[in-house]
């Protein structure tokens, strides 16, 4: 890829997809966000195992938006976030092992992104007790959308693209 393409992708496309999306997520009602949330075929990276794990991550995350009695809401959210965090770390471990196996040249950078996502969720969980529910749901939707969906679309697809142009020789 040319350096101009890389520059455009890294600075403009990434900005639009990540930063401008935050504005959309903040302005969109939680009802609309819930309605459109979940796995879509366009998220597929073409690897059955990784896609299955991505689907499970989104299924777990979706549980955070399910209606429960207000008194049980915080307990439910903590359970879901704990399950999401645990499964995300498992998935990241599998994905990193896969990248190592195929000798993916951007493994170190990709792992750093995984570490950032884990840290973002840790920070969010620490803020949870002091957040209003309306703010919490929007922030959770933003984290899930950016940490999961956009990581899959922007970063995990790079692995597949690289693998297509550099087939593994046995």
């Amino acid at each position: 890829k040319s350096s101009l393409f890389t520059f455009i992708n890294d600075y403009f496309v990434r900005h639009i997809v990540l930063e401008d999306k935050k504005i959309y997520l903040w302005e969109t009602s939680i009802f609309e966000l819930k309605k459109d949330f979940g796995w879509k075929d366009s998220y597929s990276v073409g690897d059955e195992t990784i896609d299955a794990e991505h689907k499970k991550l989104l299924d777990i995350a979706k549980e955070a938006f399910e209606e429960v009695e207000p008194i049980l809401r915080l307990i439910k959210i903590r359970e879901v976030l704990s399950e999401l965090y645990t499964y995300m770390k498992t998935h990241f471990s599998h994905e990193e092992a896969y990248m190592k196996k195929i000798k993916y040249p951007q493994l170190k950078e990709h792992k750093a992104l995984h570490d950032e996502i884990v840290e973002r969720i840790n920070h969010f969980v620490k803020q949870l007790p002091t957040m209003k529910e309306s703010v919490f749901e929007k922030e959770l939707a933003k984290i899930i959308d950016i940490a999961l969906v956009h990581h899959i679309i922007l970063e995990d697809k790079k692995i597949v693209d690289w693998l297509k142009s550099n087939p593994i020789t046995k």
Side-chain angles (χ1 to χ4, degrees), residues 14 109 111-122:
R14 187 175 202 88
E109 294 85 351
K111 185 180 181 330
L113 294 172
H114 287 169
D115 293 344
E116 282 178 32
I117 292 168
V118 168
E119 182 55 39
R120 188 178 297 152
I121 291 174
N122 276 333

Side-chain angles (χ1 to χ4, degrees), residues 31-81:
F31 174 77
E32 288 298 316
L33 291 174
K34 288 178 187 180
K35 192 171 72 172
D36 194 40
F37 188 81
W39 177 260
K40 293 170 185 53
D41 289 339
S42 62
Y43 301 164
S44 174
V45 297
D47 180 89
E48 210 173 285
T49 303
I50 292 175
D51 283 345
E53 289 185 358
H54 287 160
K55 286 177 189 177
K56 181 167 177 149
L57 281 169
L58 288 170
D59 287 345
I60 293 168
K62 193 173 189 170
E63 290 178 37
F65 297 108
E66 291 177 358
E67 297 296 322
V68 294
E69 291 182 45
I71 199 157
L72 301 174
R73 183 98 177 110
L74 194 56
I75 294 166
K76 172 73 173 173
I77 288 165
R78 284 191 177 141
E79 287 173 359
V80 169
L81 286 174

Side-chain angles (χ1 to χ4, degrees), residues 5-6 119:
F5 175 81
T6 303
E119 182 55 39

